Amino acid sequence: MIKEIGSMQWNERDEIAAALQALVQPLQSKFAEQPGHLALGTHGTIYTENRRDAEGFLRMLWGIGPFLVHYDDEQLQQQWVHGLAAGCNPHSKHYYGKTMDGDQLLVEMASIATTLLLAPHQTWDVLSETEQQHVADWLFQINEHRLPPNNWHFFRILVNVALKRLGMNYSQELIEQDFELIESCYVGDGWYFDGVDQQFDYYIPWAFHYYSLIYVTFMSEEDPKRAARLKERAILFARSYQYWFDRNGEAIPFGRSLAYRFAQASFWSALVLADVEALPWGVIKGLYARNMRSWMNHPIFTADGVLSVGYHYQNLVMGEGYNGAGSPYWAFKSFLLLAVADDHPYWQAEEVEQEVLQSRIALASMKAMIEHTHHSKHALMYPVGQFIGYQNHACAKYSKFVYSTVFGFSVPRSNYYYYEGAFDSVLAVSEDGVHFRDKPLDTSYELHEDRLVHNWQPQVGVTIRSTIVPCGDSHVRIHELETSRAIIAYDASFSAPFVASSSEDSTAVETNWASYHSPVGHTMAKAITGFTQAEMIRVEPNTNLFYERTLMPALRAELQPGTHVLVSVMAGIPTGCESQLPVVELMEDRIIVHYNGQITTVIKGQQTSE
């Protein structure tokens, strides 16, 4: 059944429901092993094994809940209801237990609340009065704990809304307090930050807006002003979020929690539930369906049909400390549209191909520039000022110069050798040629219509001002570097899949440039000034999120104490596409970039454009 999903179109409700059943089928035999829990793996997390297994079971509800609204599956319904009753029963050996501040179980309460809101007759009404009270009491614990100042406050909002609609004890006061916190994260143009004002990632579509639209669905009559505001923000957000996807449905890989994979499409699903036509329904259908089709044609399942931790393939290296074996099933949030009736206009609409009205869009609210090339065959993101310090591989996931839907990006295995660091799309420096440091959070930044500027400090005594000028599939990097010590600097282009049988014939390395024609595209690093030599780096396996093994063109500079200027052209051109490279003109006090009729002038320490 899993193999059949790869040929589905993801346009019709029955087809999507069949896909959900196929994804759940490999897991159903495990539901009976421990009611309310689902043990899918053995690798560790920051939370306990009991919570990992509870998470695995409860994350299924993001898909099962919407499914049960219109579809009958008695076995699945009974397994879920029986498991929930056991998990919430304080007298059961399967009890989820008392919760604590910041508990992982508080996260999983949101799927229960949403399921009870969507399908009360198939779930809540099946429970006995005693079981209902157990569930309500267990959920109410979220009102007794402190939550981190981020999207978690929506969990408590949804729990209290569900308890309220079911006639159980709830807290309106906490709903209001939680919305105050959510409001403090709003920055405009439909964008929020997730508790840290340097973080604008997928938690905005699959958390802030997703939960907002569930709230709108059930509370718009009772709370019309807030619902109208949340709808308006979702419409604004959709206008820019659509640019995160290329025409093949591949989304820009960026930020934390990427193991949730096709949760990227959950925002479009939530718009359907809330009946918010933020874009024409055919456009929304295309964005949703193409992303789902894209994911189902990557090797994201284990041999026994379980969603793996990883991105395009199973990969624990890129995971977070909170990624248990069941964590990837947050992706089931994209099945929310199954709760919508057949006569909804979304189901009647024809899928519309992506049409990008702007090839480049600068998003000041989310601190990034997005570029689309070749009629959106390639989408690239250039972020500035983004970082979240407590995540695995934060520098790699937030602070590279560029992220690509064709070449992905890499995370380090270590920083001990350059090839282990896999520092694609960023500059990394070292004093001994062994230990390397790449770009952390910018100390300051600038976002213009034609370029981005990063001011950053990889280590004490080294300060760098990096100006990035996007030029279609390529970009120019200008590093103004001041160092108090001798260092080695490597500046790398995109990494691309390494194929042992053919890569020797498709690589070229000269003194000032390195080039690789890979199966997915041509990646190149070309030195303009300041570099000593070019190299082709075969990086450590399982570092790139897209490809198991990669090659990476890079430029090396050996720098003595003082001030230096390093200038390069980096390119990543998809297979079958032709792309013009920029022309860089060096002058004594400025650097001029010519591309596609536009001139960008970079004056040392000062930026202007014409």
Side-chain angles (χ1 to χ4, degrees), residues 438-507:
D438 58 340
K439 190 171 79 68
L441 174 65
D442 296 331
T443 56
S444 64
Y445 67 89
E446 301 169 27
L447 174 60
H448 303 275
E449 292 185 358
D450 61 349
R451 67 203 183 282
L452 309 93
V453 181
H454 307 265
N455 293 297
W456 55 289
Q457 186 172 9
Q459 64 184 65
V460 174
V462 181
T463 58
I464 304 174
R465 180 179 177 88
S466 298
T467 301
I468 311 299
V469 183
C471 301
D473 293 309
S474 59
H475 59 278
V476 176
R477 298 182 195 168
I478 302 165
H479 305 296
E480 300 172 63
L481 188 150
E482 185 172 345
T483 177
S484 63
R485 60 198 70 194
I487 59 172
I488 297 169
Y490 273 95
D491 204 12
S493 186
F494 303 95
S495 53
F498 169 64
V499 181
S501 61
S502 62
S503 293
E504 290 184 2
D505 298 328
S506 55
T507 62

Side-chain angles (χ1 to χ4, degrees), residues 575-596:
T575 295
C577 298
E578 295 184 2
S579 187
Q580 174 188 352
L581 295 178
V583 175
V584 182
E585 184 180 358
L586 300 178
M587 302 182 71
E588 185 175 349
D589 63 341
R590 66 192 63 195
I591 297 158
I592 303 174
V593 178
H594 302 263
Y595 178 74
N596 199 27

Side-chain angles (χ1 to χ4, degrees), residues 242-243 245 353-360 372 375-376:
Q242 63 179 316
Y243 290 100
F245 300 82
E353 291 187 6
Q354 186 173 18
E355 180 181 1
V356 174
L357 301 178
Q358 299 171 256
S359 61
R360 176 182 297 170
H372 279 244
H375 304 289
S376 298

Side-chain angles (χ1 to χ4, degrees), residues 271-379:
L271 288 174
V272 179
L273 177 75
D275 196 27
V276 177
E277 193 175 6
L279 302 169
W281 286 124
V283 174
I284 292 173
K285 176 174 276 191
L287 288 161
Y288 175 87
R290 286 189 294 273
N291 185 243
M292 298 299 283
R293 289 198 295 264
S294 173
W295 278 114
M296 297 307 148
N297 284 286
H298 293 308
I300 60 177
F301 301 99
T302 65
D304 53 355
V306 176
L307 265 177
S308 65
V309 174
Y311 198 64
H312 274 192
Y313 60 96
Q314 185 172 10
N315 184 352
L316 283 177
V317 174
M318 57 76 63
E320 319 291 353
Y322 52 79
N323 284 166
S327 297
Y329 284 93
W330 235 40
F332 274 18
K333 296 172 91 172
S334 290
F335 288 105
L336 190 60
L337 47 62
L338 288 176
V340 173
D342 271 333
D343 60 358
H344 191 282
Y346 175 86
W347 301 119
Q348 316 311 316
E350 294 293 327
E351 177 183 333
V352 174
E353 291 187 6
Q354 186 173 18
E355 180 181 1
V356 174
L357 301 178
Q358 299 171 256
S359 61
R360 176 182 297 170
I361 178 172
L363 300 171
S365 296
M366 70 147 290
K367 302 181 181 180
M369 181 183 293
I370 295 178
E371 184 112 351
H372 279 244
T373 67
H374 313 294
H375 304 289
S376 298
K377 186 172 183 179
H378 191 193

